[in-house]
Amino acid sequence: MTPTNSWRGLLNAELAPRFALLCLGIWLNAADTLVTVTIMPSVAKEIGGFQYFGWSIAAFLLGSILAGACAGKLSIRFGLRRATALAGVVYAVGCAMGALAPEFLTFVAGRLVQGLGAGAIVSLCYVAISAMFPESLWPRVYGAIAGVWGAATLLGPLCGGLFAEAGFWRGAFWFFVVQAVIFVGAVLVMVPGAPKAPEGGRIPKRQLALLTVGVTLIAAAGVVPGQVAAAVCAAFGTLALAAMLLVNGRTAERLLPRAAGDLRTATGLGLMVIFFCEAATVGFSVYGPTFIQTLHGAGPLLSGYVIGGIAAGWTALSFVVAGLKPKHEGLAIRLGAVVIAAGVAWGAFEMVRGGLVGITASMVLLGAGFGICWAFLAKRVIGGAPLEEQPLASAAVPTTQLMGGATGAAAAGALANALGFAHGVTPEGGLAHGLLLFYAFLPLAVIGLLAAWRLGRDRPAA
């Protein structure tokens, strides 16, 4: 019997197990950040490594970028089943490295491996949709995936918080090892073996290498001895990122659309908004839970949910603006960027000088800004690219978000170490230097706002 395009068709005896497998794969990635930021203060208390706090997030995001760029090739070379199973094994190994880590550098290495697995899993899950479900059900499947990301907003902090408050943060990683093993077993049974990804050219090795060097140098600025060496690392890291854009525009194997660095185009402006706004806000995820626990006396569970307010605000407002008419899309882009900048400014103050209610409200506001503008940013990024580059522009939206997050996390870690937080956050140190740590990223949000203001005009550049 041919499945209909209803939920009943998706949940029949044949497709329901595939649907559950897909949701599990998306969950492994969606829940990771909120689980990890919730337990990070507990991790550092046991194995040290406050000076590498930013590295733990940057490494995961960088791994996701590298794997996402290579996942299609893996599917072509090894077949969808084996490539997806391999991604699950890599993810499980990364989680196990985190669970067993005797010190923080091993933990960071595990986060990189975990990111490689998670990024590949998500990319291959999207490939698997066309291989495992009839086309009439694709809208339902994509809608369900959005629901998984929303569920992670609620369950991620709960998962991490419960393990952290029980004094067993390593258990959170073992919990995901078990889920990854289940995922791999199910993949070997249910996923078809034939390659389903289209041939898409060579892997953009030079851009990925420059991106890796850039993020690593920015992160290293926080741990090298001496201010001169730190400045040199930060400067060369920034130059490496700029070189990545330059190389990307001059080669046939591109990570981003050719216009990614061209601010005369809607594609270039939109990706600029995404990169700078994400870089400006990721510091709250990296250091927010520690400040909430240290300065405001909250436990891991509560601090995780407070930071989860970003995702909650994003999800809620994305539904509110979903029905906007095209003539209002430019206004939504501008308003969203204004709200993001306001959320950064308010959140920085509340995180240090305010209280839990204010922090929560500011995080929800911050996420709401992304929810207001995100869909319309993506639309203009994709629509502003030449027809032959629109698939690449579509993939560039999440890739640029990950790049902004990785760069921002690395920079936040470097700045935190320069401000004296290399060995932890104390109430005295947090009150003395915390405002600078969070306000230092407000200019990035302003740059994103300026780009959004130009992009949001009624007749965007094409």
Side-chain angles (χ1 to χ4, degrees), residues 384-449:
L387 186 62
E388 68 275 9
E389 279 206 328
Q390 288 189 356
L392 183 61
S394 180
V397 172
T399 298
T400 303
Q401 182 189 9
L402 291 171
M403 288 168 56
T407 304
L415 179 59
N417 293 341
L419 292 174
F421 298 130
H423 301 292
V425 178
T426 63
E428 298 77 16
L431 289 171
H433 304 295
L435 285 177
L436 180 56
L437 173 61
F438 294 106
Y439 271 123
F441 292 88
L442 181 58
L444 300 184
V446 173
I447 293 173
L449 170 58

Side-chain angles (χ1 to χ4, degrees), residues 36-48 50 53 104 160-161 163-170 289-290 293 299-301 303:
T36 304
V37 300
T38 303
I39 66 174
M40 281 305 299
S42 301
V43 174
K45 286 178 182 177
E46 180 177 332
I47 63 175
F50 277 99
F53 243 40
F104 210 86
F163 280 106
E165 294 198 346
F168 185 45
W169 62 264
R170 296 178 189 271
T290 299
Q293 292 178 39
L301 181 60
S303 67

Side-chain angles (χ1 to χ4, degrees), residues 34 37-38 150 152-154 156-157 284-285 289 292 301-315 360 363-364 367:
L34 287 173
V37 300
T38 303
T153 303
L154 298 175
F284 290 107
S285 295
I292 293 169
L301 181 60
L302 179 57
S303 67
Y305 272 112
V306 170
I307 297 301
I310 298 175
W314 188 328
T315 301
T360 303
M363 294 299 99
V364 172

Side-chain angles (χ1 to χ4, degrees), residues 57-461:
I57 301 296
F60 179 86
L61 297 178
L62 184 60
S64 295
I65 297 169
L66 299 176
C70 303
K73 292 296 179 184
L74 289 175
S75 179
I76 294 167
R77 182 169 182 177
F78 298 110
L80 184 59
R81 181 194 301 129
R82 285 195 292 174
T84 309
L86 175 62
V89 170
V90 171
Y91 179 83
V93 170
C95 291
M97 289 175 66
L100 295 169
E103 37 72 36
F104 210 86
L105 287 179
T106 302
F107 181 84
V108 170
R111 293 289 292 157
L112 176 62
V113 175
Q114 195 177 343
L116 289 169
I121 285 172
V122 168
S123 296
L124 292 169
C125 278
Y126 278 97
V127 173
I129 291 173
S130 61
M132 297 171 63
F133 300 92
E135 188 172 352
S136 62
L137 287 174
W138 290 357
R140 298 286 184 183
V141 176
Y142 283 114
I145 287 175
V148 173
W149 287 94
T153 303
L154 298 175
L155 299 178
L158 177 63
C159 175
L162 290 176
F163 280 106
E165 294 198 346
F168 185 45
W169 62 264
R170 296 178 189 271
F173 287 101
W174 287 124
F175 179 54
F176 278 87
V177 169
V178 172
Q179 293 177 78
V181 170
I182 294 172
F183 176 77
V184 171
V187 164
L188 293 175
V189 173
M190 285 187 276
V191 175
K196 292 293 181 180
E199 179 65 42
R202 297 178 180 178
I203 294 172
K205 298 177 183 177
R206 287 184 291 174
Q207 294 96 307
L208 293 174
L210 286 168
L211 175 64
T212 302
V213 170
V215 172
T216 302
L217 285 174
I218 292 171
V223 295
V224 295
Q227 294 182 351
V228 174
V232 169
C233 283
F236 276 96
T238 303
L239 288 174
L241 295 178
M244 185 271 293
L245 282 178
L246 183 64
V247 170
N248 187 81
R250 297 183 175 182
T251 182
E253 295 82 34
R254 289 190 289 278
L255 176 64
L256 303 171
R258 187 182 298 275
D262 188 350
L263 301 185
R264 298 169 298 178
T265 66
T267 298
L269 283 171
L271 293 177
M272 182 179 181
V273 176
I274 291 169
F275 178 88
F276 279 98
C277 286
E278 184 67 20
T281 57
V282 73
F284 290 107
S285 295
V286 178
Y287 286 99
T290 299
F291 273 77
I292 293 169
Q293 292 178 39
T294 301
L295 299 186
H296 304 285
L301 181 60
L302 179 57
S303 67
Y305 272 112
V306 170
I307 297 301
I310 298 175
W314 188 328
T315 301
L317 266 294
S318 63
F319 283 109
V320 171
V321 303
L324 279 183
K325 296 180 179 179
K327 65 180 181 180
H328 295 138
E329 291 177 358
L331 176 62
I333 291 172
R334 289 178 168 182
L335 178 61
V338 168
V339 172
I340 290 170
V344 172
W346 186 21
F349 176 82
E350 293 289 346
M351 194 67 69
V352 180
R353 304 291 183 183
L356 286 175
V357 174
I359 298 172
T360 303
S362 64
M363 294 299 99
V364 172
L365 180 71
L366 184 59
F370 282 101
I372 291 169
C373 66
W374 193 261
F376 310 115
L377 278 174
K379 182 177 178 180
R380 293 206 172 175
V381 166
I382 298 166
L387 186 62
E388 68 275 9
E389 279 206 328
Q390 288 189 356
L392 183 61
S394 180
V397 172
T399 298
T400 303
Q401 182 189 9
L402 291 171
M403 288 168 56
T407 304
L415 179 59
N417 293 341
L419 292 174
F421 298 130
H423 301 292
V425 178
T426 63
E428 298 77 16
L431 289 171
H433 304 295
L435 285 177
L436 180 56
L437 173 61
F438 294 106
Y439 271 123
F441 292 88
L442 181 58
L444 300 184
V446 173
I447 293 173
L449 170 58
L450 293 175
W453 205 262
R454 183 177 174 187
L455 178 66
R457 58 192 175 188
D458 291 336
R459 298 181 66 183

